[in-house]
Amino acid sequence: MEDVPQIGYTEKVMDHFMHPRNVGAVADPDGVGQVGNPVCGDLMEVSIKVEKDVITDIKFKTFGCGSAIATASMVTELAKGKTLDEAEKISRQDVADELDGLPPRKMHCSNLAADALHKAIEDYRKKTETG
């Protein structure tokens, strides 16, 4: 199978698709972000656990193509151990770049992963606002 071209997917995309990291849901999450793309039908959920402003645990669930799975896996790897402010700066392009690129028609998948992370952080901040 290694000699078969993967239709424009990089080795990193294929690795994160075939062996996704951080799959599932965080038990008793501090924040949850859910996003979807009605055009392609992809759905993604990211849940986070936060201690002292740092993402200590992060998991994802997704319904979508291989790119959606790979980008969700990568965004969890990028965000784990980062402060909320650092994780919030992870962009759609950062996710694609860390995967060594995505085919242009699959870039919307990296948008979902970053957006789901940002929504989880937003959810956490709403829940912990004082006043």
Side-chain angles (χ1 to χ4, degrees), residues 9 34 49 59 83 91-92 108 118 123 126:
Y9 293 114
Q34 297 175 327
K49 194 67 148 171
K59 296 199 183 301
T83 67
S91 71
R92 300 165 172 181
H108 65 273
H118 298 158
D123 182 50
K126 281 182 184 173

Side-chain angles (χ1 to χ4, degrees), residues 3-50:
D3 295 345
V4 177
Q6 300 299 328
I7 315 167
Y9 293 114
T10 67
E11 284 183 35
K12 275 190 180 178
V13 170
M14 291 305 297
D15 181 45
H16 276 269
F17 166 60
M18 299 298 288
H19 310 283
R21 285 71 153 170
N22 307 306
V23 176
V26 171
D28 192 26
D30 294 319
V32 177
Q34 297 175 327
V35 295
N37 183 324
V39 174
C40 67
D42 290 349
L43 301 170
M44 195 172 296
E45 177 181 287
V46 170
S47 54
I48 58 174
K49 194 67 148 171
V50 179

